[in-house]
Amino acid sequence: MRTTGNALFDKLLAPRMTDNRPFLRTDNGEQVSFGDMADRAQRWAGGLRALGLEPGERIVVQAAKSVECLSLYAAAATAGAVYVPLNTAYTAAEVEYFVDDAAPKLIICDPAAEEALAPIAHKAGARLLTLGANGEGALLRALADANIAPTPAPTPRDPEDLAAILYTSGTTGRSKGAMLSCANLISNSETLAAAWRFSEADILLHALPIFHTHGLFVATNVSLLAGGSMIFMPKFDVDKAIAALPNATAMMGVPTFYTRLLADPRFDRALTKNMRLFVSGSAPLLAETHRQFEARTGHRILERYGMTETNMNTSNPYDGERRAGTVGLALPGVELRVVNPETGAELVDGETGVIEVRGPNVCKGYWRNPEKTAEEMRSDGFFITGDLGYREPDGYVTIVGRAKDLIITGGLNVYPKEIESAIDELPGVAESAVIGAPHPDFGEGVVAIVVAEKDGDQDEKSIIAALAERLAKFKQPKRVLFVNALPRNTMGKVQKQLLRERYNTLLQ
Ligand code: AMP
């Protein structure tokens, strides 16, 4: 195999340039082979360069999930550009912040957003082109016009060069751009493909968004690297997932995919008999969901833990125990330690503290933000994840929440996960979220937000009474409120910041 000097292209696309097997299949019958993908990446990369995009320059993309949008990611990598995907839910005002920060040369948006983004692109001196859900818009026309024959070679790119900037979801404060190098992406996809045994025989059900590390890097890069194909869906839809599962071997999802499948009686052992792997991550999977899933299908979901800045850090084992409620063991090549949040001193197994990780998966810092980089990256190379957790003596890691979600009441620490687990175990409770609300005496007091099961008959009093037997007084909720659903972002994460804002004066 010839190498081109472009680290990502050589690893992910070059090995299968003449492979005619399908890489992507969509539910409307479109197929793109590995060879077509590599060819398209090179031709579009030539087009992007002809549009003036130089190596290392940023291309901001806020476009619907489509085969063309994924091809654009491959083309940007092949052109040596820095790919900056944005959540499709962001408003023009939010996009303005990212454009100001990333200073892109090119911005790609949905045709419907063109009018609102035009002044933002103009102010930033960036060219704005459109790409719709079916490939329509000015981008493909411009690439075709710019196209040059024969197929241009990829732009050389070193492993340490930047491949992407992914903005954190920014639930507290402004989003920061995590700088991910080609080597970061390559090492994590190699580690995961091996750990999860991906091969050419795999067909991955891909229903995740492609503006986030999970769908863009974990799912796509692992499939490309291993030569497995993907059933590529615009979004997660229970009916479509159920129709596709018999033809798939693996699925990567956020916990809500699994709870929604479990809510459907058609989802059972027979439907999943060709599947070999279900992976969950990006938000905590309830131990109860893990157990229900096994009882219904015979499969044990493999839960892993990662984040935008670090790619994937831990995973339950492929062979061996997939322990419900844990995120498994540090992946090969990833060092993980748990430290005291105040002193930074390493804690012993079983003690809860802040999780720090080091390895080839960890990003190079925050884009144009050396202060934030210094705050979250220790001088010995460990990255402070901001997640609280502990490690058992046999290496299994449990996450108990984000450090910023820790509740301090009367000077005592309360880990929301402990209270949530106690509430979730009560009959009639579907799920819960526990937050701290300002309290005149204690600084903060514990508040529980509960979603009841359909026929559940718990009320505030009965929950408080049940917890009184199990939890120390300071951990007991001062109030329990019922809601129909917890507020979640597109990756299924409960947005505790929204709950804190909503219930800010509840205990005053
Ligand atoms: P993001 O950068 O959007 O991928 O969010 C990363 C954060 O999601 C992590 O720092 C964790 O707080 C959370 N997270 C990811 N995977 C898991 C998991 N398996 N269990 C619990 N939390 C998770």
Side-chain angles (χ1 to χ4, degrees):
M1 184 189 75
R2 94 194 147 91
T3 55
T4 66
N6 178 306
L8 267 177
F9 187 91
D10 286 345
K11 204 41 112 176
L12 301 180
L13 294 162
R16 290 176 217 283
M17 295 232 277
T18 54
D19 189 339
N20 293 326
R21 291 174 314 120
F23 165 49
L24 299 177
R25 317 157 191 214
T26 66
D27 39 11
N28 58 20
E30 187 183 352
Q31 288 203 358
V32 181
S33 72
F34 286 95
D36 288 345
M37 192 52 139
D39 183 62
R40 184 185 282 186
Q42 290 178 94
R43 283 188 293 106
W44 287 16
L48 290 173
R49 286 198 304 263
L51 289 173
L53 190 66
E54 299 287 332
E57 287 187 328
R58 276 77 54 212
I59 170 169
V60 164
V61 179
Q62 189 193 37
K65 181 178 177 183
S66 66
V67 168
E68 288 75 15
C69 190
L70 194 73
S71 308
L72 185 59
Y73 156 58
T78 306
V82 179
Y83 192 70
V84 188
L86 295 183
N87 191 322
T88 45
Y90 287 145
T91 62
E94 287 166 321
V95 171
E96 183 169 13
Y97 164 78
F98 297 109
V99 167
D100 281 351
D101 195 59
K105 184 72 157 284
L106 265 182
I107 302 173
I108 312 300
C109 74
D110 193 87
E114 185 177 16
E115 203 180 314
L117 295 189
I120 294 167
H122 180 76
K123 188 174 83 167
R127 178 153 181 195
L128 181 68
L129 292 167
T130 53
L131 176 64
N134 299 306
E136 74 278 16
L139 174 70
L140 296 199
R141 288 197 300 274
L143 291 178
D145 288 348
N147 210 354
I148 0 145
T151 303
T155 307
R157 208 70 179 135
D158 284 342
E160 289 311 314
D161 286 334
L162 284 195
I165 297 174
L166 249 59
Y167 281 89
T168 58
S169 39
T171 41
T172 49
R174 300 238 76 165
S175 296
K176 295 158 290 193
M179 297 190 286
L180 295 153
S181 68
C182 301
N184 289 150
L185 303 186
I186 292 168
S187 77
N188 212 233
S189 40
E190 286 178 329
T191 303
L192 296 175
W196 298 341
R197 310 281 160 81
F198 268 82
S199 76
E200 291 189 350
D202 273 308
I203 303 172
L204 177 78
L205 181 57
H206 191 305
L208 292 160
I210 53 168
F211 52 72
H212 184 269
T213 181
H214 199 168
L216 184 62
F217 298 144
V218 181
T220 306
N221 292 351
V222 164
S223 296
L224 277 172
L225 188 84
S229 65
M230 305 203 288
I231 302 175
F232 202 63
M233 299 189 160
K235 64 179 176 37
F236 183 76
D237 173 286
V238 174
D239 290 333
K240 289 192 171 156
I242 284 179
L245 274 168
N247 304 319
T249 65
M251 173 170 151
M252 294 182 189
V254 293
T256 41
F257 289 10
Y258 296 118
T259 50
R260 285 164 63 190
L261 283 171
L262 282 170
D264 195 304
R266 292 171 296 173
F267 182 68
D268 62 9
R269 204 172 271 259
L271 194 80
T272 57
K273 72 174 191 311
N274 295 333
M275 291 290 287
R276 67 168 189 89
L277 182 63
F278 289 93
V279 176
S280 178
S282 297
L285 181 79
L286 292 180
E288 183 52 28
T289 309
H290 191 281
R291 284 191 278 271
Q292 277 178 15
F293 199 91
E294 184 177 14
R296 180 86 72 84
T297 65
H299 291 280
R300 290 179 72 80
I301 297 175
L302 184 152
E303 186 170 7
R304 74 6 168 224
Y305 153 64
M307 61 197 305
T308 299
E309 292 95 323
T310 64
N311 299 284
M312 300 306 106
N313 297 317
T314 73
S315 171
N316 272 279
Y318 190 81
D319 295 318
E321 188 193 357
R322 300 183 190 167
R323 198 173 293 170
T326 80
V327 294
L329 312 154
L331 282 160
V334 178
E335 293 170 84
L336 182 146
R337 68 186 182 197
V338 180
V339 307
N340 178 311
E342 275 87 46
T343 63
E346 198 164 345
L347 298 174
V348 297
D349 289 339
E351 281 186 355
T352 298
V354 171
I355 296 173
E356 298 188 349
V357 292
R358 179 166 72 180
N361 52 315
V362 175
C363 75
K364 296 171 86 85
Y366 294 114
W367 170 253
R368 293 189 175 164
N369 202 337
E371 297 82 22
K372 283 279 172 219
T373 303
E375 269 172 35
E376 292 180 29
M377 200 80 85
R378 295 208 185 267
S379 53
D380 60 2
F382 273 88
F383 178 80
I384 307 170
T385 65
D387 288 313
L388 295 170
Y390 61 89
R391 180 166 42 195
E392 289 166 56
D394 60 4
Y396 282 76
V397 175
T398 298
I399 311 256
V400 302
R402 297 283 301 160
K404 64 179 192 311
D405 294 333
L406 178 73
I407 302 166
I408 305 180
T409 177
L412 299 167
N413 288 356
V414 177
Y415 298 106
K417 172 109 182 264
E418 185 189 350
I419 323 302
E420 288 159 4
S421 303
I423 297 175
D424 294 348
E425 276 173 22
L426 299 175
V429 170
E431 58 173 349
S432 61
V434 164
I435 55 166
H439 187 284
D441 285 342
F442 301 120
E444 279 185 305
V446 175
V447 170
I449 322 295
V450 172
V451 179
E453 271 172 2
K454 231 189 280 139
D455 307 317
D457 62 355
Q458 297 277 5
D459 59 18
E460 177 165 21
K461 268 207 186 120
S462 64
I463 289 189
I464 291 179
L467 295 177
E469 297 162 14
R470 308 177 180 205
L471 298 173
K473 184 92 180 122
F474 71 96
K475 295 183 189 171
Q476 292 168 19
K478 304 252 172 298
R479 291 293 313 272
V480 176
L481 301 150
F482 287 82
V483 294
N484 292 331
L486 298 173
R488 289 200 142 85
N489 70 9
T490 34
M491 298 310 291
K493 274 194 252 289
V494 176
Q495 294 185 292
K496 290 205 166 170
Q497 186 53 28
L498 285 184
L499 292 174
R500 280 193 286 264
E501 283 162 19
R502 197 176 301 161
Y503 300 113
N504 189 38
T505 56
L506 191 73
L507 303 180
Q508 302 274 306

